[in-house]
Amino acid sequence: MKNLTVFDHPLIQHKTAILRQKETPNKEFREMVEEITMLMCFEALRDLPVEEVEIETPIKKTKQKMLKGKKLAIVPILRAGLGMVNGLLNLVPSAKVGHIGMYRDEETLQPHEYYCKLPADIDNRLIVVVDPMLATGGSAIDAITQIKSYGGKQIKFLCLIAAPEGAKALAEAHPDVEIYCANLDEGLNEKGYIVPGLGDAGDRIFGTK
Ligand code: PRP
Ligand code: URA
């Protein structure tokens, strides 16, 4: 699928296996979410623009490459996306953070938006939307549609686990968005959960079940 990157790095695979285990405690689950996000971010942001700046080492003046501007916005889809924010901020501490609140109706699986607060200059930033789970794709599709309605143009979507159905739906709805997932799973079960997946990401991050 065009615009879809699935990671095969052994560290990402190992940490995701820990994430999936049902006995992994909330604290370790949160740590794994953050660490995997950081590893993904390293690759997903490889096209960040750089510029030559003059600096001085203890030896001499030299021109070196540094990030151009501070033009990144991270947008977690609440709640579970919050778990990925620090993974990105650890590497790009100057990024602005917007929030989109979405919940999936457990019966219909339809997404519902309940909150949206984005940086004022969102139209001028590379936007990284994060959510650990891409299941039917409904939440990500609606969140990105909303971001675009606020002027968002250059958008990447990072998730930890995707179902093929969700990846396909998102790629079709937003062909301009680059999708990065740590793992592409088998599919969805009758309740719309990713198989084998990891269960409910929000509940496992926040200990609500
Ligand atoms: C989960 C997950 C995604 C969504 C994925 O959120 O974090 O946002 O489901 O499903 P979809 O691709 O079928 O839309 P949930 O609605 O459980 O809310 P939560 O993060 O607050 O737990
Ligand atoms: N949301 C989750 O948290 N997990 C799934 O498997 C599907 C949607």
Side-chain angles (χ1 to χ4, degrees):
M1 205 180 302
K2 218 171 125 254
N3 290 348
L4 173 69
T5 302
V6 183
F7 290 86
D8 58 1
H9 195 286
L11 283 172
I12 292 182
Q13 289 175 336
H14 178 84
K15 288 174 192 296
T16 310
I18 296 173
L19 203 61
R20 292 181 188 277
Q21 284 175 297
K22 62 180 181 190
E23 58 274 6
T24 299
N26 302 132
K27 176 177 181 289
E28 197 179 352
F29 190 90
R30 284 193 293 270
E31 288 166 358
M32 288 303 121
V33 168
E34 192 171 318
E35 286 177 24
I36 297 165
T37 306
M38 209 150 49
L39 292 167
M40 291 174 71
C41 168
F42 190 73
E43 184 59 31
L45 297 184
R46 100 165 16 258
D47 58 353
L48 279 184
V50 290
E51 62 186 345
E52 287 215 323
V53 293
E54 190 169 279
I55 59 160
E56 196 170 357
T57 76
I59 310 298
K60 73 184 284 272
K61 283 189 177 165
T62 170
K63 283 197 172 151
Q64 298 294 325
K65 292 195 171 90
M66 294 185 84
L67 288 180
K68 190 175 174 189
K70 292 177 180 168
K71 298 282 180 217
L72 198 80
I74 304 163
V75 181
I77 300 178
L78 308 181
R79 292 174 301 166
L82 286 174
M84 298 174 71
V85 173
N86 279 344
L88 278 152
L89 281 178
N90 285 340
L91 296 184
V92 193
S94 61
K96 299 271 196 274
V97 183
H99 295 86
I100 292 201
M102 311 278 296
Y103 73 90
R104 205 170 69 137
D105 184 292
E106 284 183 9
E107 299 296 323
T108 65
L109 302 184
Q110 289 307 304
H112 296 275
E113 186 190 313
Y114 59 88
Y115 187 75
C116 182
K117 180 80 180 169
L118 301 173
D121 55 353
I122 195 81
D123 52 331
N124 211 9
R125 291 180 174 267
L126 166 64
I127 302 158
V128 184
V129 181
V130 293
D131 191 331
M133 310 304 278
L134 182 64
T136 64
S139 304
I141 290 170
D142 282 10
I144 291 170
T145 300
Q146 177 73 315
I147 292 167
K148 285 182 175 175
S149 78
Y150 278 82
K153 290 179 193 74
Q154 198 192 348
I155 301 173
K156 293 175 188 263
F157 179 80
L158 259 65
C159 64
L160 304 188
I161 299 190
E165 298 90 321
K168 183 168 179 286
L170 178 56
E172 283 173 6
H174 295 292
D176 54 315
V177 171
E178 287 180 58
I179 307 167
Y180 299 86
C181 71
N183 291 263
L184 193 59
D185 273 13
E186 290 164 22
L188 298 172
N189 69 12
E190 66 289 349
K191 289 186 172 161
Y193 276 86
I194 300 177
V195 180
L198 50 72
D200 189 304
D203 284 342
R204 295 195 65 184
I205 289 170
F206 297 109
T208 39
K209 208 169 253 176

PDB file of all heavy atoms in Angstrom, residues 74-99:
ATOM      1  N   ILE A  74       2.316  18.002  17.264  1.00  0.00           N
ATOM      2  CA  ILE A  74       1.910  16.637  17.585  1.00  0.00           C
ATOM      3  C   ILE A  74       0.434  16.705  17.975  1.00  0.00           C
ATOM      4  O   ILE A  74       0.045  17.551  18.782  1.00  0.00           O
ATOM      5  CB  ILE A  74       2.724  16.105  18.792  1.00  0.00           C
ATOM      6  CG1 ILE A  74       4.228  16.207  18.507  1.00  0.00           C
ATOM      7  CG2 ILE A  74       2.325  14.675  19.134  1.00  0.00           C
ATOM      8  CD1 ILE A  74       5.081  16.099  19.778  1.00  0.00           C
ATOM      9  N   VAL A  75      -0.386  15.834  17.390  1.00  0.00           N
ATOM     10  CA  VAL A  75      -1.800  15.832  17.749  1.00  0.00           C
ATOM     11  C   VAL A  75      -2.218  14.427  18.164  1.00  0.00           C
ATOM     12  O   VAL A  75      -2.452  13.557  17.315  1.00  0.00           O
ATOM     13  CB  VAL A  75      -2.690  16.341  16.588  1.00  0.00           C
ATOM     14  CG1 VAL A  75      -4.158  16.355  17.025  1.00  0.00           C
ATOM     15  CG2 VAL A  75      -2.267  17.730  16.134  1.00  0.00           C
ATOM     16  N   PRO A  76      -2.287  14.166  19.487  1.00  0.00           N
ATOM     17  CA  PRO A  76      -2.787  12.871  19.938  1.00  0.00           C
ATOM     18  C   PRO A  76      -4.304  12.805  19.820  1.00  0.00           C
ATOM     19  O   PRO A  76      -4.990  13.805  20.054  1.00  0.00           O
ATOM     20  CB  PRO A  76      -2.371  12.834  21.413  1.00  0.00           C
ATOM     21  CG  PRO A  76      -2.284  14.268  21.826  1.00  0.00           C
ATOM     22  CD  PRO A  76      -1.852  15.034  20.593  1.00  0.00           C
ATOM     23  N   ILE A  77      -4.799  11.633  19.432  1.00  0.00           N
ATOM     24  CA  ILE A  77      -6.244  11.395  19.485  1.00  0.00           C
ATOM     25  C   ILE A  77      -6.520  10.838  20.886  1.00  0.00           C
ATOM     26  O   ILE A  77      -5.987   9.787  21.266  1.00  0.00           O
ATOM     27  CB  ILE A  77      -6.688  10.399  18.388  1.00  0.00           C
ATOM     28  CG1 ILE A  77      -6.334  10.949  16.993  1.00  0.00           C
ATOM     29  CG2 ILE A  77      -8.186  10.123  18.502  1.00  0.00           C
ATOM     30  CD1 ILE A  77      -6.683  10.023  15.831  1.00  0.00           C
ATOM     31  N   LEU A  78      -7.311  11.582  21.667  1.00  0.00           N
ATOM     32  CA  LEU A  78      -7.609  11.194  23.056  1.00  0.00           C
ATOM     33  C   LEU A  78      -8.508   9.954  23.034  1.00  0.00           C
ATOM     34  O   LEU A  78      -9.347   9.825  22.127  1.00  0.00           O
ATOM     35  CB  LEU A  78      -8.311  12.337  23.781  1.00  0.00           C
ATOM     36  CG  LEU A  78      -7.625  13.720  23.715  1.00  0.00           C
ATOM     37  CD1 LEU A  78      -8.443  14.738  24.511  1.00  0.00           C
ATOM     38  CD2 LEU A  78      -6.214  13.648  24.240  1.00  0.00           C
ATOM     39  N   ARG A  79      -8.313   9.169  24.082  1.00  0.00           N
ATOM     40  CA  ARG A  79      -7.332   9.285  25.135  1.00  0.00           C
ATOM     41  C   ARG A  79      -5.994   8.643  24.786  1.00  0.00           C
ATOM     42  O   ARG A  79      -4.934   9.120  25.171  1.00  0.00           O
ATOM     43  CB  ARG A  79      -7.819   8.500  26.381  1.00  0.00           C
ATOM     44  CG  ARG A  79      -8.985   9.001  27.113  1.00  0.00           C
ATOM     45  CD  ARG A  79      -9.362   8.004  28.204  1.00  0.00           C
ATOM     46  NE  ARG A  79      -9.680   6.684  27.676  1.00  0.00           N
ATOM     47  CZ  ARG A  79      -9.767   5.577  28.430  1.00  0.00           C
ATOM     48  NH1 ARG A  79      -9.531   5.627  29.718  1.00  0.00           N
ATOM     49  NH2 ARG A  79     -10.093   4.419  27.887  1.00  0.00           N
ATOM     50  N   ALA A  80      -6.063   7.473  24.116  1.00  0.00           N
ATOM     51  CA  ALA A  80      -4.876   6.629  24.053  1.00  0.00           C
ATOM     52  C   ALA A  80      -3.676   7.304  23.380  1.00  0.00           C
ATOM     53  O   ALA A  80      -2.529   7.029  23.723  1.00  0.00           O
ATOM     54  CB  ALA A  80      -5.214   5.316  23.348  1.00  0.00           C
ATOM     55  N   GLY A  81      -3.947   8.232  22.457  1.00  0.00           N
ATOM     56  CA  GLY A  81      -2.854   8.921  21.775  1.00  0.00           C
ATOM     57  C   GLY A  81      -1.949   9.681  22.736  1.00  0.00           C
ATOM     58  O   GLY A  81      -0.767   9.920  22.442  1.00  0.00           O
ATOM     59  N   LEU A  82      -2.499  10.068  23.887  1.00  0.00           N
ATOM     60  CA  LEU A  82      -1.694  10.797  24.878  1.00  0.00           C
ATOM     61  C   LEU A  82      -0.449  10.006  25.267  1.00  0.00           C
ATOM     62  O   LEU A  82       0.598  10.589  25.548  1.00  0.00           O
ATOM     63  CB  LEU A  82      -2.515  11.071  26.145  1.00  0.00           C
ATOM     64  CG  LEU A  82      -3.584  12.161  26.044  1.00  0.00           C
ATOM     65  CD1 LEU A  82      -4.394  12.206  27.331  1.00  0.00           C
ATOM     66  CD2 LEU A  82      -2.935  13.517  25.778  1.00  0.00           C
ATOM     67  N   GLY A  83      -0.582   8.680  25.276  1.00  0.00           N
ATOM     68  CA  GLY A  83       0.543   7.832  25.674  1.00  0.00           C
ATOM     69  C   GLY A  83       1.734   7.951  24.742  1.00  0.00           C
ATOM     70  O   GLY A  83       2.851   7.579  25.114  1.00  0.00           O
ATOM     71  N   MET A  84       1.521   8.445  23.533  1.00  0.00           N
ATOM     72  CA  MET A  84       2.616   8.530  22.558  1.00  0.00           C
ATOM     73  C   MET A  84       3.289   9.904  22.529  1.00  0.00           C
ATOM     74  O   MET A  84       4.350  10.064  21.916  1.00  0.00           O
ATOM     75  CB  MET A  84       2.082   8.194  21.152  1.00  0.00           C
ATOM     76  CG  MET A  84       1.535   6.769  21.045  1.00  0.00           C
ATOM     77  SD  MET A  84       0.752   6.439  19.444  1.00  0.00           S
ATOM     78  CE  MET A  84       2.155   6.391  18.322  1.00  0.00           C
ATOM     79  N   VAL A  85       2.676  10.887  23.179  1.00  0.00           N
ATOM     80  CA  VAL A  85       3.161  12.273  23.033  1.00  0.00           C
ATOM     81  C   VAL A  85       4.588  12.443  23.541  1.00  0.00           C
ATOM     82  O   VAL A  85       5.437  13.026  22.852  1.00  0.00           O
ATOM     83  CB  VAL A  85       2.205  13.253  23.760  1.00  0.00           C
ATOM     84  CG1 VAL A  85       2.787  14.663  23.769  1.00  0.00           C
ATOM     85  CG2 VAL A  85       0.845  13.257  23.082  1.00  0.00           C
ATOM     86  N   ASN A  86       4.885  11.915  24.735  1.00  0.00           N
ATOM     87  CA  ASN A  86       6.234  12.125  25.275  1.00  0.00           C
ATOM     88  C   ASN A  86       7.316  11.450  24.445  1.00  0.00           C
ATOM     89  O   ASN A  86       8.451  11.921  24.408  1.00  0.00           O
ATOM     90  CB  ASN A  86       6.310  11.668  26.729  1.00  0.00           C
ATOM     91  CG  ASN A  86       5.752  12.732  27.651  1.00  0.00           C
ATOM     92  OD1 ASN A  86       5.601  13.883  27.248  1.00  0.00           O
ATOM     93  ND2 ASN A  86       5.416  12.357  28.864  1.00  0.00           N
ATOM     94  N   GLY A  87       6.961  10.355  23.785  1.00  0.00           N
ATOM     95  CA  GLY A  87       7.934   9.699  22.909  1.00  0.00           C
ATOM     96  C   GLY A  87       8.422  10.660  21.839  1.00  0.00           C
ATOM     97  O   GLY A  87       9.604  10.704  21.492  1.00  0.00           O
ATOM     98  N   LEU A  88       7.496  11.458  21.305  1.00  0.00           N
ATOM     99  CA  LEU A  88       7.864  12.446  20.283  1.00  0.00           C
ATOM    100  C   LEU A  88       8.533  13.673  20.908  1.00  0.00           C
ATOM    101  O   LEU A  88       9.521  14.184  20.394  1.00  0.00           O
ATOM    102  CB  LEU A  88       6.612  12.875  19.512  1.00  0.00           C
ATOM    103  CG  LEU A  88       6.195  11.919  18.392  1.00  0.00           C
ATOM    104  CD1 LEU A  88       4.710  11.976  18.159  1.00  0.00           C
ATOM    105  CD2 LEU A  88       6.931  12.267  17.115  1.00  0.00           C
ATOM    106  N   LEU A  89       7.966  14.125  22.041  1.00  0.00           N
ATOM    107  CA  LEU A  89       8.526  15.332  22.662  1.00  0.00           C
ATOM    108  C   LEU A  89       9.957  15.112  23.158  1.00  0.00           C
ATOM    109  O   LEU A  89      10.749  16.044  23.189  1.00  0.00           O
ATOM    110  CB  LEU A  89       7.647  15.784  23.841  1.00  0.00           C
ATOM    111  CG  LEU A  89       6.370  16.548  23.479  1.00  0.00           C
ATOM    112  CD1 LEU A  89       5.588  16.891  24.743  1.00  0.00           C
ATOM    113  CD2 LEU A  89       6.678  17.819  22.690  1.00  0.00           C
ATOM    114  N   ASN A  90      10.268  13.860  23.523  1.00  0.00           N
ATOM    115  CA  ASN A  90      11.640  13.572  23.942  1.00  0.00           C
ATOM    116  C   ASN A  90      12.623  13.914  22.828  1.00  0.00           C
ATOM    117  O   ASN A  90      13.746  14.331  23.078  1.00  0.00           O
ATOM    118  CB  ASN A  90      11.808  12.084  24.273  1.00  0.00           C
ATOM    119  CG  ASN A  90      11.182  11.732  25.602  1.00  0.00           C
ATOM    120  OD1 ASN A  90      10.949  12.600  26.427  1.00  0.00           O
ATOM    121  ND2 ASN A  90      10.897  10.454  25.812  1.00  0.00           N
ATOM    122  N   LEU A  91      12.206  13.690  21.584  1.00  0.00           N
ATOM    123  CA  LEU A  91      13.118  13.921  20.458  1.00  0.00           C
ATOM    124  C   LEU A  91      12.957  15.315  19.854  1.00  0.00           C
ATOM    125  O   LEU A  91      13.902  15.861  19.296  1.00  0.00           O
ATOM    126  CB  LEU A  91      12.894  12.857  19.373  1.00  0.00           C
ATOM    127  CG  LEU A  91      13.225  11.422  19.784  1.00  0.00           C
ATOM    128  CD1 LEU A  91      13.062  10.470  18.625  1.00  0.00           C
ATOM    129  CD2 LEU A  91      14.659  11.329  20.306  1.00  0.00           C
ATOM    130  N   VAL A  92      11.732  15.851  19.911  1.00  0.00           N
ATOM    131  CA  VAL A  92      11.489  17.196  19.355  1.00  0.00           C
ATOM    132  C   VAL A  92      10.804  18.038  20.430  1.00  0.00           C
ATOM    133  O   VAL A  92       9.597  18.293  20.373  1.00  0.00           O
ATOM    134  CB  VAL A  92      10.601  17.133  18.082  1.00  0.00           C
ATOM    135  CG1 VAL A  92      10.628  18.472  17.349  1.00  0.00           C
ATOM    136  CG2 VAL A  92      11.044  16.028  17.138  1.00  0.00           C
ATOM    137  N   PRO A  93      11.569  18.501  21.417  1.00  0.00           N
ATOM    138  CA  PRO A  93      10.944  19.165  22.571  1.00  0.00           C
ATOM    139  C   PRO A  93      10.268  20.482  22.217  1.00  0.00           C
ATOM    140  O   PRO A  93       9.418  20.959  22.984  1.00  0.00           O
ATOM    141  CB  PRO A  93      12.117  19.393  23.540  1.00  0.00           C
ATOM    142  CG  PRO A  93      13.354  19.035  22.825  1.00  0.00           C
ATOM    143  CD  PRO A  93      13.012  18.298  21.582  1.00  0.00           C
ATOM    144  N   SER A  94      10.604  21.068  21.077  1.00  0.00           N
ATOM    145  CA  SER A  94       9.990  22.357  20.730  1.00  0.00           C
ATOM    146  C   SER A  94       8.645  22.197  20.027  1.00  0.00           C
ATOM    147  O   SER A  94       7.991  23.195  19.711  1.00  0.00           O
ATOM    148  CB  SER A  94      10.935  23.145  19.822  1.00  0.00           C
ATOM    149  OG  SER A  94      11.146  22.411  18.628  1.00  0.00           O
ATOM    150  N   ALA A  95       8.212  20.963  19.794  1.00  0.00           N
ATOM    151  CA  ALA A  95       6.933  20.766  19.080  1.00  0.00           C
ATOM    152  C   ALA A  95       5.770  21.314  19.900  1.00  0.00           C
ATOM    153  O   ALA A  95       5.787  21.280  21.122  1.00  0.00           O
ATOM    154  CB  ALA A  95       6.724  19.270  18.819  1.00  0.00           C
ATOM    155  N   LYS A  96       4.768  21.821  19.196  1.00  0.00           N
ATOM    156  CA  LYS A  96       3.515  22.225  19.852  1.00  0.00           C
ATOM    157  C   LYS A  96       2.617  20.987  19.915  1.00  0.00           C
ATOM    158  O   LYS A  96       2.722  20.091  19.075  1.00  0.00           O
ATOM    159  CB  LYS A  96       2.814  23.312  19.034  1.00  0.00           C
ATOM    160  CG  LYS A  96       3.629  24.579  18.887  1.00  0.00           C
ATOM    161  CD  LYS A  96       3.340  25.513  20.044  1.00  0.00           C
ATOM    162  CE  LYS A  96       3.802  26.926  19.769  1.00  0.00           C
ATOM    163  NZ  LYS A  96       5.198  27.165  20.115  1.00  0.00           N
ATOM    164  N   VAL A  97       1.704  20.968  20.866  1.00  0.00           N
ATOM    165  CA  VAL A  97       0.814  19.810  21.003  1.00  0.00           C
ATOM    166  C   VAL A  97      -0.647  20.261  20.933  1.00  0.00           C
ATOM    167  O   VAL A  97      -1.071  21.118  21.716  1.00  0.00           O
ATOM    168  CB  VAL A  97       1.066  19.063  22.337  1.00  0.00           C
ATOM    169  CG1 VAL A  97       0.175  17.825  22.422  1.00  0.00           C
ATOM    170  CG2 VAL A  97       2.544  18.658  22.463  1.00  0.00           C
ATOM    171  N   GLY A  98      -1.379  19.713  19.971  1.00  0.00           N
ATOM    172  CA  GLY A  98      -2.826  19.928  19.893  1.00  0.00           C
ATOM    173  C   GLY A  98      -3.522  18.675  20.405  1.00  0.00           C
ATOM    174  O   GLY A  98      -2.874  17.651  20.636  1.00  0.00           O
ATOM    175  N   HIS A  99      -4.825  18.735  20.590  1.00  0.00           N
ATOM    176  CA  HIS A  99      -5.551  17.554  21.079  1.00  0.00           C
ATOM    177  C   HIS A  99      -6.863  17.396  20.317  1.00  0.00           C
ATOM    178  O   HIS A  99      -7.557  18.383  20.080  1.00  0.00           O
ATOM    179  CB  HIS A  99      -5.890  17.685  22.576  1.00  0.00           C
ATOM    180  CG  HIS A  99      -4.668  17.718  23.448  1.00  0.00           C
ATOM    181  ND1 HIS A  99      -3.984  18.877  23.715  1.00  0.00           N
ATOM    182  CD2 HIS A  99      -4.008  16.721  24.086  1.00  0.00           C
ATOM    183  CE1 HIS A  99      -2.941  18.602  24.495  1.00  0.00           C
ATOM    184  NE2 HIS A  99      -2.931  17.302  24.726  1.00  0.00           N
TER     185      HIS A  99
END
